Amino acid sequence: MYKAAVLTVSDRSFRGERPDEAGPLAASLLEAAGYRVVETAVVPDEQPEIEAALIRLAGEAALVITSGGTGFSPRDVTPEATAAVCQRMAPGIPEAMRAASLAVTPRAMLSRAAAGIRGGTLIVNLPGSPKAVRENLEAVLPALEHGLKMLSGASADCAAGD
């Protein structure tokens, strides 16, 4: 069982003006898939605060899921914060999420979500709406365990198809 953390990026939720529905949904989807969610947190749309939270959470979990801050708004900087703290990017994960979401809405192409690796942790950005969190996470969740296995060194044989 892998440890996971969920970080919601939202000015309004951080200020208590809107309840965070996306983060708890992501946590419940992860738990249903067998992950142990060790922390959930909410930060404002401020790149330094997002980066600090990602660095801290990457020290606690093998998988960090973010929700929010992936659109075109000037304050949407989650992908930039993710890229700043990761040593390697994993572009196939957000590509798969966008492809799956395009079957539901043409607006999926507007997502700037990113995914990357910091040390032994995989960080994956999700959009901020609960509907999009479900669609995007369900699209990639089946493959993430294999990626985490490879990242930990437990399975270096990608061709084996396990």
Side-chain angles (χ1 to χ4, degrees), residues 41-95:
V42 180
V43 295
D45 291 278
E46 296 289 344
Q47 188 167 340
E49 292 188 47
I50 300 166
E51 289 178 20
L54 289 173
I55 290 167
R56 183 178 59 75
L57 293 171
E60 299 175 15
L63 176 64
V64 176
I65 297 293
T66 72
S67 172
T70 62
F72 282 17
S73 166
R75 293 196 47 81
D76 288 338
V77 294
T78 304
E80 288 76 16
T82 300
V85 304
C86 289
Q87 291 91 18
R88 298 184 290 159
M89 300 309 290
I93 295 169
E95 288 168 7

Side-chain angles (χ1 to χ4, degrees), residues 40 55 124 138:
T40 60
I55 290 167
V124 178
E138 287 178 346

Side-chain angles (χ1 to χ4, degrees), residues 85-157:
V85 304
C86 289
Q87 291 91 18
R88 298 184 290 159
M89 300 309 290
I93 295 169
E95 288 168 7
M97 292 188 305
R98 282 186 281 272
S101 290
L102 275 169
V104 179
T105 176
R107 291 183 181 176
M109 69 181 74
L110 302 178
S111 171
R112 298 182 321 104
I117 298 165
R118 177 179 177 81
T121 299
L122 176 61
I123 299 172
V124 178
N125 300 158
L126 300 177
S129 81
K131 180 179 182 295
V133 164
R134 179 179 299 280
E135 289 169 4
N136 283 262
L137 192 52
E138 287 178 346
V140 298
L141 203 48
L144 294 185
E145 185 175 354
H146 181 70
L148 293 173
K149 225 183 260 188
M150 289 188 310
L151 189 55
S152 73
S155 173
D157 187 2

Side-chain angles (χ1 to χ4, degrees), residues 7-24:
L7 179 66
T8 299
V9 180
S10 168
D11 287 331
R12 286 179 281 182
S13 292
F14 181 76
R15 291 190 303 256
E17 297 169 3
R18 180 180 65 191
D20 175 20
E21 296 176 3

